[in-house]
Amino acid sequence: MEPTEVLPIVAIVSIVTVEFGGHALLRFITTDSGRLGAFRERFFRAGHAHAGVLLVLSLVYLLYLPRAGFPDGLEWLCGGILLAGVLAQSGGFFLHLAVGEEGRRSSGTLLTRTGALLLGGALVALAAGLVRAAGS
C-alpha cells in the first residue's frame, strides 16, 4: 500500500481517540469538578485541542503529499515525521500534566517543543516538494 493510503487511516483512527479524550474531559469537568485542578485541566485541554487540530492538519497534508512528487520512501518519511510530531506535541501537554509543576519546565515541555520541530520539518519538506514540483 501507498503511504498516502495508510497514513490517513492512522490519522482518522487517531481522531476517534481524540473524541474519546473529549468525552473524558467533559466528564471530568461536569461530574468530577475540581478533580483535575486548574493546572491539570488547562494542560488536558491544550493536549486535547492540539491533537484534534493537528490531526485534521495531517489529513490535509496527506492530500497534498502526492503532489510533491516524492518517491514512496520519502512520502513515508515525511508522513511519519508529521504524525510523530502530532503525537509528540500533543502528548507533551499530557506528559506535563502528569509530571510537571506550575511555572516549571518538564520532560513534557521538551516533548511538546520536539513535536513542534518535527511538524515544522515535515511542513517545510512538503512546501519544498510542492515548489519543486510546480517548477517542473
Side-chain angles (χ1 to χ4, degrees), residues 61 77-89 111-125:
Y61 182 98
L77 180 65
C78 289
I81 288 172
L82 179 82
L83 291 177
V86 170
L87 288 172
Q89 186 162 48
L111 186 59
T112 296
R113 289 181 177 153
T114 301
L117 291 173
L118 291 170
L119 287 164
L123 290 168
V124 168

Side-chain angles (χ1 to χ4, degrees), residues 32-68:
D32 298 330
S33 186
R35 180 174 167 190
L36 285 177
F39 168 75
R40 286 186 170 73
E41 183 180 320
R42 194 168 58 243
F43 280 89
F44 194 128
R45 286 177 188 260
H48 178 73
H50 278 79
V53 169
L54 293 172
L55 284 168
V56 171
L57 167 69
S58 72
L59 292 173
V60 174
Y61 182 98
L62 294 167
L63 285 174
Y64 279 89
L65 191 56
R67 296 181 188 182

Side-chain angles (χ1 to χ4, degrees), residues 15-29 44 48:
I15 290 172
V16 173
T17 67
V18 173
E19 290 175 342
F20 177 76
H23 169 71
L25 178 60
L26 183 62
R27 201 175 79 219
F28 280 131
I29 292 170
F44 194 128
H48 178 73

